Amino acid sequence: MLIRELLHSACLRLGKVGIEDPETDAALLLGHSLEKSRTALYLMGGESISKEIEKQFLSLLQRREQREPLAYILGVQEFWSLDFLVGPDVLIPRPETELLIETAIKAWRESSQPSGLILDLCCGSGVIAIVLAKELGRKILAIDLSMKAIVTARENAKRHGVSHLVYFLQSDLLSALAPVPCFSLVVSNPPYVSQQDIEGGLQPEVGRYEPHLALNGGDKGLEIIKRIDEELRQRMLPGADLFMEIGADQGVDILSLFAEEKKRTKRFTELIIEKDYAEHDRIFHAKLGQ
Ligand code: GLN
């Protein structure tokens, strides 16, 4: 079959099952099978391909037809203009997390750059820790509950030349660390999807394929964030910054959660919610009081 014909029929098949941009996905899958760029592929439209490559392509196409995310089929996702390895043990990094990192880096560069440790909490594939290590040239501690995620994140750190800067630790949030103040910057993309959405409100790509451990934030999606609030206060240095990715409708709840005074001696101040490109609540910034 000619490349052009194959692309056309693949596109129809993906369109039929509701894939949003079937042309792009068909071209990326065929490009992956042929080890060619998308542009090269279009220039080769009149050429035919071997039976073997066609068979390989059709098996990838079938996976996408069943709504497996493209990034898992290709094994990589571009983030911060770098290719990161991804698989079913880690969440696929999204553009919102680039915004989170951009915001944290900007604040860091504008601050007096304190000497405390930098933490990526719930690191998943390692994108936050790795980008921070590359951009800031500083040592980063990256924590995740999933050892399988850490294996992928380690590979990514190696791939991007920052293995010597990123230290990975398997821990249930901060339970493996003594409650001693040591962090001056914490950046986190924790699980924040509500149990309700997990049970029925997600696209098939997300709900069926991405790890629920990385997504499920329990009741209102706030259960893990509540624990982070409690556990972080004791481990952040006075004046330290927290930047956390949150759900589109969580701004108000998170502001009131972190502003609660109760009997705490350590208080978060300067609580800010920033919006993403779609004007949704997305980034929470707080500073620990002096
Ligand atoms: N951005 C992801 C989603 O909406 C959620 C990520 C997370 O829970 N940290 O599917």
mmCIF file of all heavy atoms in Angstrom, residues 166-216:
data_model
loop_
_atom_site.group_PDB
_atom_site.id
_atom_site.type_symbol
_atom_site.label_atom_id
_atom_site.label_comp_id
_atom_site.label_asym_id
_atom_site.label_seq_id
_atom_site.Cartn_x
_atom_site.Cartn_y
_atom_site.Cartn_z
ATOM 1 N N VAL A 166 20.113 15.157 40.635
ATOM 2 C CA VAL A 166 18.791 14.767 41.144
ATOM 3 C C VAL A 166 18.899 13.500 42.002
ATOM 4 O O VAL A 166 19.381 12.474 41.542
ATOM 5 C CB VAL A 166 17.777 14.545 39.991
ATOM 6 C CG1 VAL A 166 16.389 14.277 40.565
ATOM 7 C CG2 VAL A 166 17.727 15.755 39.066
ATOM 8 N N TYR A 167 18.445 13.601 43.246
ATOM 9 C CA TYR A 167 18.436 12.476 44.177
ATOM 10 C C TYR A 167 17.011 11.976 44.312
ATOM 11 O O TYR A 167 16.128 12.758 44.644
ATOM 12 C CB TYR A 167 18.936 12.909 45.555
ATOM 13 C CG TYR A 167 20.382 13.311 45.538
ATOM 14 C CD1 TYR A 167 20.744 14.584 45.084
ATOM 15 C CD2 TYR A 167 21.379 12.422 45.918
ATOM 16 C CE1 TYR A 167 22.082 14.954 45.018
ATOM 17 C CE2 TYR A 167 22.716 12.788 45.856
ATOM 18 C CZ TYR A 167 23.055 14.050 45.402
ATOM 19 O OH TYR A 167 24.364 14.412 45.334
ATOM 20 N N PHE A 168 16.796 10.699 44.038
ATOM 21 C CA PHE A 168 15.441 10.161 44.106
ATOM 22 C C PHE A 168 15.228 9.413 45.418
ATOM 23 O O PHE A 168 16.123 8.706 45.887
ATOM 24 C CB PHE A 168 15.181 9.229 42.922
ATOM 25 C CG PHE A 168 15.126 9.975 41.613
ATOM 26 C CD1 PHE A 168 16.229 10.008 40.765
ATOM 27 C CD2 PHE A 168 13.983 10.675 41.244
ATOM 28 C CE1 PHE A 168 16.183 10.707 39.571
ATOM 29 C CE2 PHE A 168 13.930 11.379 40.051
ATOM 30 C CZ PHE A 168 15.037 11.394 39.212
ATOM 31 N N LEU A 169 14.042 9.570 45.982
ATOM 32 C CA LEU A 169 13.716 8.907 47.229
ATOM 33 C C LEU A 169 12.299 8.359 47.139
ATOM 34 O O LEU A 169 11.377 9.090 46.766
ATOM 35 C CB LEU A 169 13.808 9.930 48.378
ATOM 36 C CG LEU A 169 13.398 9.464 49.769
ATOM 37 C CD1 LEU A 169 14.379 8.419 50.297
ATOM 38 C CD2 LEU A 169 13.341 10.646 50.732
ATOM 39 N N GLN A 170 12.151 7.054 47.467
ATOM 40 C CA GLN A 170 10.804 6.479 47.490
ATOM 41 C C GLN A 170 10.227 6.734 48.879
ATOM 42 O O GLN A 170 10.804 6.317 49.888
ATOM 43 C CB GLN A 170 10.888 4.981 47.177
ATOM 44 C CG GLN A 170 9.557 4.338 46.885
ATOM 45 C CD GLN A 170 8.915 3.720 48.110
ATOM 46 O OE1 GLN A 170 9.603 3.296 49.019
ATOM 47 N NE2 GLN A 170 7.602 3.690 48.135
ATOM 48 N N SER A 171 9.138 7.469 48.927
ATOM 49 C CA SER A 171 8.532 7.782 50.223
ATOM 50 C C SER A 171 7.060 8.138 50.037
ATOM 51 O O SER A 171 6.681 8.716 49.018
ATOM 52 C CB SER A 171 9.282 8.974 50.848
ATOM 53 O OG SER A 171 8.581 9.503 51.956
ATOM 54 N N ASP A 172 6.248 7.801 51.041
ATOM 55 C CA ASP A 172 4.848 8.227 51.054
ATOM 56 C C ASP A 172 4.855 9.697 51.492
ATOM 57 O O ASP A 172 5.039 9.983 52.685
ATOM 58 C CB ASP A 172 4.078 7.333 52.029
ATOM 59 C CG ASP A 172 2.591 7.654 52.020
ATOM 60 O OD1 ASP A 172 2.148 8.487 51.200
ATOM 61 O OD2 ASP A 172 1.870 7.074 52.850
ATOM 62 N N LEU A 173 4.736 10.589 50.558
ATOM 63 C CA LEU A 173 4.934 12.038 50.771
ATOM 64 C C LEU A 173 6.217 12.244 51.578
ATOM 65 O O LEU A 173 7.263 11.764 51.179
ATOM 66 C CB LEU A 173 3.701 12.673 51.406
ATOM 67 C CG LEU A 173 2.439 12.604 50.515
ATOM 68 C CD1 LEU A 173 1.262 13.276 51.192
ATOM 69 C CD2 LEU A 173 2.657 13.241 49.145
ATOM 70 N N LEU A 174 6.137 12.925 52.731
ATOM 71 C CA LEU A 174 7.383 13.269 53.418
ATOM 72 C C LEU A 174 7.678 12.360 54.600
ATOM 73 O O LEU A 174 8.545 12.670 55.422
ATOM 74 C CB LEU A 174 7.302 14.728 53.862
ATOM 75 C CG LEU A 174 7.312 15.662 52.646
ATOM 76 C CD1 LEU A 174 6.566 16.945 52.930
ATOM 77 C CD2 LEU A 174 8.728 15.953 52.206
ATOM 78 N N SER A 175 6.949 11.213 54.673
ATOM 79 C CA SER A 175 7.078 10.377 55.868
ATOM 80 C C SER A 175 8.494 9.829 56.078
ATOM 81 O O SER A 175 8.865 9.514 57.204
ATOM 82 C CB SER A 175 6.068 9.236 55.814
ATOM 83 O OG SER A 175 6.276 8.492 54.639
ATOM 84 N N ALA A 176 9.290 9.727 55.015
ATOM 85 C CA ALA A 176 10.641 9.179 55.183
ATOM 86 C C ALA A 176 11.627 10.223 55.711
ATOM 87 O O ALA A 176 12.777 9.900 56.007
ATOM 88 C CB ALA A 176 11.144 8.623 53.853
ATOM 89 N N LEU A 177 11.183 11.470 55.814
ATOM 90 C CA LEU A 177 12.102 12.528 56.265
ATOM 91 C C LEU A 177 11.729 13.004 57.664
ATOM 92 O O LEU A 177 10.547 13.201 57.956
ATOM 93 C CB LEU A 177 12.034 13.736 55.321
ATOM 94 C CG LEU A 177 12.417 13.517 53.864
ATOM 95 C CD1 LEU A 177 12.248 14.827 53.101
ATOM 96 C CD2 LEU A 177 13.846 13.016 53.755
ATOM 97 N N ALA A 178 12.726 13.215 58.497
ATOM 98 C CA ALA A 178 12.468 13.752 59.845
ATOM 99 C C ALA A 178 11.821 15.127 59.718
ATOM 100 O O ALA A 178 12.096 15.844 58.745
ATOM 101 C CB ALA A 178 13.786 13.854 60.596
ATOM 102 N N PRO A 179 10.944 15.506 60.660
ATOM 103 C CA PRO A 179 10.291 16.818 60.572
ATOM 104 C C PRO A 179 11.227 17.970 60.950
ATOM 105 O O PRO A 179 11.065 18.616 61.979
ATOM 106 C CB PRO A 179 9.124 16.692 61.555
ATOM 107 C CG PRO A 179 9.508 15.613 62.483
ATOM 108 C CD PRO A 179 10.472 14.712 61.797
ATOM 109 N N VAL A 180 12.210 18.172 60.104
ATOM 110 C CA VAL A 180 13.213 19.208 60.353
ATOM 111 C C VAL A 180 13.172 20.184 59.181
ATOM 112 O O VAL A 180 13.168 19.742 58.016
ATOM 113 C CB VAL A 180 14.629 18.557 60.420
ATOM 114 C CG1 VAL A 180 15.705 19.609 60.554
ATOM 115 C CG2 VAL A 180 14.689 17.552 61.546
ATOM 116 N N PRO A 181 13.142 21.486 59.434
ATOM 117 C CA PRO A 181 13.083 22.432 58.314
ATOM 118 C C PRO A 181 14.351 22.371 57.468
ATOM 119 O O PRO A 181 15.453 22.518 57.995
ATOM 120 C CB PRO A 181 12.975 23.802 59.005
ATOM 121 C CG PRO A 181 12.565 23.512 60.400
ATOM 122 C CD PRO A 181 13.106 22.167 60.737
ATOM 123 N N CYS A 182 14.194 22.108 56.174
ATOM 124 C CA CYS A 182 15.374 22.026 55.315
ATOM 125 C C CYS A 182 15.119 22.520 53.891
ATOM 126 O O CYS A 182 16.056 22.797 53.155
ATOM 127 C CB CYS A 182 15.911 20.602 55.269
ATOM 128 S SG CYS A 182 14.695 19.413 54.713
ATOM 129 N N PHE A 183 13.851 22.702 53.495
ATOM 130 C CA PHE A 183 13.586 23.078 52.102
ATOM 131 C C PHE A 183 13.360 24.585 51.953
ATOM 132 O O PHE A 183 12.665 25.196 52.763
ATOM 133 C CB PHE A 183 12.342 22.353 51.579
ATOM 134 C CG PHE A 183 12.495 20.861 51.568
ATOM 135 C CD1 PHE A 183 11.747 20.060 52.412
ATOM 136 C CD2 PHE A 183 13.423 20.258 50.722
ATOM 137 C CE1 PHE A 183 11.905 18.686 52.419
ATOM 138 C CE2 PHE A 183 13.593 18.882 50.714
ATOM 139 C CZ PHE A 183 12.833 18.094 51.569
ATOM 140 N N SER A 184 13.938 25.149 50.909
ATOM 141 C CA SER A 184 13.654 26.569 50.625
ATOM 142 C C SER A 184 12.752 26.712 49.405
ATOM 143 O O SER A 184 12.181 27.768 49.173
ATOM 144 C CB SER A 184 14.948 27.358 50.427
ATOM 145 O OG SER A 184 15.733 26.738 49.459
ATOM 146 N N LEU A 185 12.639 25.645 48.590
ATOM 147 C CA LEU A 185 11.722 25.678 47.438
ATOM 148 C C LEU A 185 11.112 24.288 47.249
ATOM 149 O O LEU A 185 11.840 23.289 47.210
ATOM 150 C CB LEU A 185 12.482 26.081 46.160
ATOM 151 C CG LEU A 185 11.679 26.025 44.859
ATOM 152 C CD1 LEU A 185 10.548 27.052 44.848
ATOM 153 C CD2 LEU A 185 12.595 26.265 43.646
ATOM 154 N N VAL A 186 9.794 24.248 47.158
ATOM 155 C CA VAL A 186 9.104 22.986 46.897
ATOM 156 C C VAL A 186 8.209 23.185 45.680
ATOM 157 O O VAL A 186 7.442 24.146 45.622
ATOM 158 C CB VAL A 186 8.235 22.550 48.103
ATOM 159 C CG1 VAL A 186 7.517 21.234 47.794
ATOM 160 C CG2 VAL A 186 9.074 22.442 49.369
ATOM 161 N N VAL A 187 8.367 22.310 44.692
ATOM 162 C CA VAL A 187 7.509 22.359 43.505
ATOM 163 C C VAL A 187 6.843 20.991 43.402
ATOM 164 O O VAL A 187 7.522 19.962 43.506
ATOM 165 C CB VAL A 187 8.329 22.674 42.228
ATOM 166 C CG1 VAL A 187 7.401 22.870 41.038
ATOM 167 C CG2 VAL A 187 9.200 23.918 42.428
ATOM 168 N N SER A 188 5.520 20.985 43.216
ATOM 169 C CA SER A 188 4.815 19.707 43.271
ATOM 170 C C SER A 188 3.627 19.654 42.319
ATOM 171 O O SER A 188 2.876 20.621 42.193
ATOM 172 C CB SER A 188 4.313 19.489 44.710
ATOM 173 O OG SER A 188 3.575 18.291 44.796
ATOM 174 N N ASN A 189 3.484 18.509 41.677
ATOM 175 C CA ASN A 189 2.268 18.221 40.911
ATOM 176 C C ASN A 189 1.659 16.966 41.533
ATOM 177 O O ASN A 189 1.892 15.852 41.069
ATOM 178 C CB ASN A 189 2.607 18.008 39.436
ATOM 179 C CG ASN A 189 1.373 17.642 38.619
ATOM 180 O OD1 ASN A 189 0.246 17.829 39.068
ATOM 181 N ND2 ASN A 189 1.589 17.114 37.428
ATOM 182 N N PRO A 190 0.906 17.137 42.622
ATOM 183 C CA PRO A 190 0.389 15.961 43.344
ATOM 184 C C PRO A 190 -0.870 15.414 42.675
ATOM 185 O O PRO A 190 -1.441 16.075 41.803
ATOM 186 C CB PRO A 190 0.033 16.568 44.708
ATOM 187 C CG PRO A 190 -0.418 17.952 44.374
ATOM 188 C CD PRO A 190 0.408 18.400 43.185
ATOM 189 N N PRO A 191 -1.325 14.225 43.105
ATOM 190 C CA PRO A 191 -2.613 13.735 42.580
ATOM 191 C C PRO A 191 -3.723 14.665 43.066
ATOM 192 O O PRO A 191 -3.858 14.857 44.275
ATOM 193 C CB PRO A 191 -2.764 12.357 43.234
ATOM 194 C CG PRO A 191 -1.417 12.006 43.777
ATOM 195 C CD PRO A 191 -0.720 13.286 44.064
ATOM 196 N N TYR A 192 -4.507 15.235 42.151
ATOM 197 C CA TYR A 192 -5.548 16.163 42.589
ATOM 198 C C TYR A 192 -6.905 15.944 41.914
ATOM 199 O O TYR A 192 -7.806 16.774 42.005
ATOM 200 C CB TYR A 192 -5.101 17.625 42.432
ATOM 201 C CG TYR A 192 -4.724 18.057 41.018
ATOM 202 C CD1 TYR A 192 -5.683 18.183 40.016
ATOM 203 C CD2 TYR A 192 -3.404 18.378 40.708
ATOM 204 C CE1 TYR A 192 -5.340 18.595 38.743
ATOM 205 C CE2 TYR A 192 -3.040 18.791 39.429
ATOM 206 C CZ TYR A 192 -4.015 18.901 38.455
ATOM 207 O OH TYR A 192 -3.669 19.302 37.196
ATOM 208 N N VAL A 193 -7.057 14.832 41.213
ATOM 209 C CA VAL A 193 -8.348 14.549 40.565
ATOM 210 C C VAL A 193 -9.284 13.936 41.623
ATOM 211 O O VAL A 193 -8.852 13.115 42.430
ATOM 212 C CB VAL A 193 -8.149 13.596 39.370
ATOM 213 C CG1 VAL A 193 -9.485 13.231 38.743
ATOM 214 C CG2 VAL A 193 -7.227 14.232 38.334
ATOM 215 N N SER A 194 -10.552 14.355 41.626
ATOM 216 C CA SER A 194 -11.462 13.854 42.654
ATOM 217 C C SER A 194 -11.863 12.405 42.372
ATOM 218 O O SER A 194 -11.885 11.969 41.215
ATOM 219 C CB SER A 194 -12.718 14.723 42.713
ATOM 220 O OG SER A 194 -13.488 14.504 41.545
ATOM 221 N N GLN A 195 -12.194 11.698 43.449
ATOM 222 C CA GLN A 195 -12.646 10.304 43.345
ATOM 223 C C GLN A 195 -13.811 10.195 42.355
ATOM 224 O O GLN A 195 -13.868 9.290 41.539
ATOM 225 C CB GLN A 195 -13.085 9.843 44.741
ATOM 226 C CG GLN A 195 -13.566 8.418 44.813
ATOM 227 C CD GLN A 195 -12.443 7.418 44.529
ATOM 228 O OE1 GLN A 195 -11.305 7.614 44.945
ATOM 229 N NE2 GLN A 195 -12.756 6.364 43.788
ATOM 230 N N GLN A 196 -14.690 11.196 42.420
ATOM 231 C CA GLN A 196 -15.864 11.219 41.540
ATOM 232 C C GLN A 196 -15.453 11.250 40.067
ATOM 233 O O GLN A 196 -15.964 10.497 39.245
ATOM 234 C CB GLN A 196 -16.632 12.491 41.837
ATOM 235 C CG GLN A 196 -18.079 12.317 42.060
ATOM 236 C CD GLN A 196 -18.688 13.682 42.394
ATOM 237 O OE1 GLN A 196 -17.974 14.639 42.718
ATOM 238 N NE2 GLN A 196 -19.988 13.762 42.287
ATOM 239 N N ASP A 197 -14.506 12.139 39.734
ATOM 240 C CA ASP A 197 -14.027 12.215 38.346
ATOM 241 C C ASP A 197 -13.301 10.939 37.948
ATOM 242 O O ASP A 197 -13.412 10.472 36.810
ATOM 243 C CB ASP A 197 -13.099 13.423 38.153
ATOM 244 C CG ASP A 197 -13.891 14.719 38.065
ATOM 245 O OD1 ASP A 197 -15.125 14.642 37.903
ATOM 246 O OD2 ASP A 197 -13.281 15.801 38.175
ATOM 247 N N ILE A 198 -12.549 10.376 38.880
ATOM 248 C CA ILE A 198 -11.837 9.124 38.591
ATOM 249 C C ILE A 198 -12.849 8.050 38.177
ATOM 250 O O ILE A 198 -12.615 7.269 37.272
ATOM 251 C CB ILE A 198 -11.041 8.639 39.839
ATOM 252 C CG1 ILE A 198 -9.893 9.592 40.169
ATOM 253 C CG2 ILE A 198 -10.588 7.189 39.701
ATOM 254 C CD1 ILE A 198 -8.636 9.424 39.390
ATOM 255 N N GLU A 199 -13.988 8.058 38.861
ATOM 256 C CA GLU A 199 -14.986 7.013 38.602
ATOM 257 C C GLU A 199 -15.793 7.220 37.328
ATOM 258 O O GLU A 199 -16.516 6.351 36.905
ATOM 259 C CB GLU A 199 -15.931 6.884 39.805
ATOM 260 C CG GLU A 199 -15.276 6.090 40.917
ATOM 261 C CD GLU A 199 -15.978 6.258 42.247
ATOM 262 O OE1 GLU A 199 -17.120 6.734 42.260
ATOM 263 O OE2 GLU A 199 -15.355 5.904 43.258
ATOM 264 N N GLY A 200 -15.698 8.385 36.716
ATOM 265 C CA GLY A 200 -16.511 8.499 35.512
ATOM 266 C C GLY A 200 -16.320 9.760 34.712
ATOM 267 O O GLY A 200 -16.958 9.926 33.673
ATOM 268 N N GLY A 201 -15.473 10.667 35.158
ATOM 269 C CA GLY A 201 -15.403 11.941 34.460
ATOM 270 C C GLY A 201 -14.166 12.147 33.609
ATOM 271 O O GLY A 201 -13.876 13.276 33.221
ATOM 272 N N LEU A 202 -13.428 11.080 33.336
ATOM 273 C CA LEU A 202 -12.175 11.289 32.610
ATOM 274 C C LEU A 202 -12.248 10.758 31.180
ATOM 275 O O LEU A 202 -12.989 9.821 30.903
ATOM 276 C CB LEU A 202 -11.027 10.588 33.343
ATOM 277 C CG LEU A 202 -10.757 11.034 34.784
ATOM 278 C CD1 LEU A 202 -9.694 10.150 35.419
ATOM 279 C CD2 LEU A 202 -10.302 12.491 34.809
ATOM 280 N N GLN A 203 -11.448 11.378 30.310
ATOM 281 C CA GLN A 203 -11.335 10.848 28.926
ATOM 282 C C GLN A 203 -10.804 9.420 29.025
ATOM 283 O O GLN A 203 -10.016 9.132 29.939
ATOM 284 C CB GLN A 203 -10.213 11.577 28.195
ATOM 285 C CG GLN A 203 -10.437 12.941 27.697
ATOM 286 C CD GLN A 203 -9.103 13.373 27.101
ATOM 287 O OE1 GLN A 203 -8.288 13.924 27.820
ATOM 288 N NE2 GLN A 203 -8.889 13.116 25.824
ATOM 289 N N PRO A 204 -11.157 8.545 28.054
ATOM 290 C CA PRO A 204 -10.650 7.160 28.133
ATOM 291 C C PRO A 204 -9.121 7.093 28.220
ATOM 292 O O PRO A 204 -8.576 6.268 28.944
ATOM 293 C CB PRO A 204 -11.138 6.530 26.826
ATOM 294 C CG PRO A 204 -12.062 7.499 26.175
ATOM 295 C CD PRO A 204 -12.048 8.781 26.927
ATOM 296 N N GLU A 205 -8.437 7.976 27.498
ATOM 297 C CA GLU A 205 -6.963 7.967 27.518
ATOM 298 C C GLU A 205 -6.437 8.093 28.944
ATOM 299 O O GLU A 205 -5.451 7.462 29.328
ATOM 300 C CB GLU A 205 -6.377 9.126 26.697
ATOM 301 C CG GLU A 205 -6.339 8.915 25.203
ATOM 302 C CD GLU A 205 -7.661 9.238 24.520
ATOM 303 O OE1 GLU A 205 -8.675 9.462 25.224
ATOM 304 O OE2 GLU A 205 -7.690 9.250 23.267
ATOM 305 N N VAL A 206 -7.090 8.960 29.721
ATOM 306 C CA VAL A 206 -6.628 9.232 31.086
ATOM 307 C C VAL A 206 -7.147 8.153 32.036
ATOM 308 O O VAL A 206 -6.376 7.473 32.716
ATOM 309 C CB VAL A 206 -7.099 10.636 31.552
ATOM 310 C CG1 VAL A 206 -6.553 10.948 32.943
ATOM 311 C CG2 VAL A 206 -6.701 11.708 30.551
ATOM 312 N N GLY A 207 -8.471 7.977 32.050
ATOM 313 C CA GLY A 207 -9.099 7.065 33.011
ATOM 314 C C GLY A 207 -8.662 5.620 32.852
ATOM 315 O O GLY A 207 -8.461 4.910 33.832
ATOM 316 N N ARG A 208 -8.505 5.171 31.594
ATOM 317 C CA ARG A 208 -8.183 3.754 31.387
ATOM 318 C C ARG A 208 -6.694 3.467 31.404
ATOM 319 O O ARG A 208 -6.277 2.355 31.654
ATOM 320 C CB ARG A 208 -8.717 3.304 30.020
ATOM 321 C CG ARG A 208 -10.186 3.021 30.007
ATOM 322 C CD ARG A 208 -10.509 2.213 28.746
ATOM 323 N NE ARG A 208 -11.661 2.741 28.078
ATOM 324 C CZ ARG A 208 -11.770 2.869 26.767
ATOM 325 N NH1 ARG A 208 -10.773 2.516 25.971
ATOM 326 N NH2 ARG A 208 -12.863 3.352 26.240
ATOM 327 N N TYR A 209 -5.871 4.473 31.105
ATOM 328 C CA TYR A 209 -4.451 4.169 30.908
ATOM 329 C C TYR A 209 -3.485 4.852 31.869
ATOM 330 O O TYR A 209 -2.422 4.308 32.152
ATOM 331 C CB TYR A 209 -4.032 4.499 29.471
ATOM 332 C CG TYR A 209 -4.633 3.568 28.464
ATOM 333 C CD1 TYR A 209 -5.836 3.859 27.838
ATOM 334 C CD2 TYR A 209 -4.005 2.358 28.167
ATOM 335 C CE1 TYR A 209 -6.398 2.988 26.916
ATOM 336 C CE2 TYR A 209 -4.555 1.479 27.248
ATOM 337 C CZ TYR A 209 -5.756 1.799 26.621
ATOM 338 O OH TYR A 209 -6.310 0.933 25.724
ATOM 339 N N GLU A 210 -3.804 6.054 32.357
ATOM 340 C CA GLU A 210 -2.813 6.732 33.204
ATOM 341 C C GLU A 210 -2.936 6.196 34.638
ATOM 342 O O GLU A 210 -4.012 5.777 35.066
ATOM 343 C CB GLU A 210 -2.979 8.248 33.122
ATOM 344 C CG GLU A 210 -2.659 8.744 31.712
ATOM 345 C CD GLU A 210 -2.295 10.221 31.653
ATOM 346 O OE1 GLU A 210 -1.128 10.562 31.910
ATOM 347 O OE2 GLU A 210 -3.183 11.025 31.336
ATOM 348 N N PRO A 211 -1.830 6.212 35.384
ATOM 349 C CA PRO A 211 -1.860 5.577 36.711
ATOM 350 C C PRO A 211 -2.755 6.334 37.694
ATOM 351 O O PRO A 211 -2.526 7.518 37.955
ATOM 352 C CB PRO A 211 -0.393 5.630 37.164
ATOM 353 C CG PRO A 211 0.254 6.675 36.332
ATOM 354 C CD PRO A 211 -0.513 6.764 35.058
ATOM 355 N N HIS A 212 -3.739 5.660 38.254
ATOM 356 C CA HIS A 212 -4.658 6.319 39.192
ATOM 357 C C HIS A 212 -3.927 6.795 40.441
ATOM 358 O O HIS A 212 -4.307 7.779 41.055
ATOM 359 C CB HIS A 212 -5.812 5.392 39.538
ATOM 360 C CG HIS A 212 -6.787 5.277 38.398
ATOM 361 N ND1 HIS A 212 -8.043 4.760 38.526
ATOM 362 C CD2 HIS A 212 -6.683 5.656 37.093
ATOM 363 C CE1 HIS A 212 -8.675 4.811 37.359
ATOM 364 N NE2 HIS A 212 -7.857 5.338 36.472
ATOM 365 N N LEU A 213 -2.845 6.112 40.768
ATOM 366 C CA LEU A 213 -2.036 6.530 41.926
ATOM 367 C C LEU A 213 -1.546 7.973 41.762
ATOM 368 O O LEU A 213 -1.439 8.722 42.725
ATOM 369 C CB LEU A 213 -0.826 5.591 42.044
ATOM 370 C CG LEU A 213 0.043 5.708 43.285
ATOM 371 C CD1 LEU A 213 -0.737 5.334 44.535
ATOM 372 C CD2 LEU A 213 1.286 4.835 43.151
ATOM 373 N N ALA A 214 -1.265 8.350 40.518
ATOM 374 C CA ALA A 214 -0.740 9.704 40.246
ATOM 375 C C ALA A 214 -1.856 10.729 40.079
ATOM 376 O O ALA A 214 -1.594 11.931 40.038
ATOM 377 C CB ALA A 214 0.119 9.668 38.990
ATOM 378 N N LEU A 215 -3.088 10.245 39.942
ATOM 379 C CA LEU A 215 -4.209 11.156 39.668
ATOM 380 C C LEU A 215 -5.156 11.321 40.848
ATOM 381 O O LEU A 215 -5.660 12.419 41.104
ATOM 382 C CB LEU A 215 -5.056 10.589 38.502
ATOM 383 C CG LEU A 215 -4.439 10.543 37.121
ATOM 384 C CD1 LEU A 215 -5.281 9.640 36.221
ATOM 385 C CD2 LEU A 215 -4.365 11.947 36.515
ATOM 386 N N ASN A 216 -5.393 10.222 41.558
ATOM 387 C CA ASN A 216 -6.492 10.194 42.519
ATOM 388 C C ASN A 216 -6.189 10.960 43.805
ATOM 389 O O ASN A 216 -5.379 10.544 44.621
ATOM 390 C CB ASN A 216 -6.834 8.726 42.839
ATOM 391 C CG ASN A 216 -8.175 8.611 43.526
ATOM 392 O OD1 ASN A 216 -8.731 9.603 44.022
ATOM 393 N ND2 ASN A 216 -8.703 7.405 43.559
#
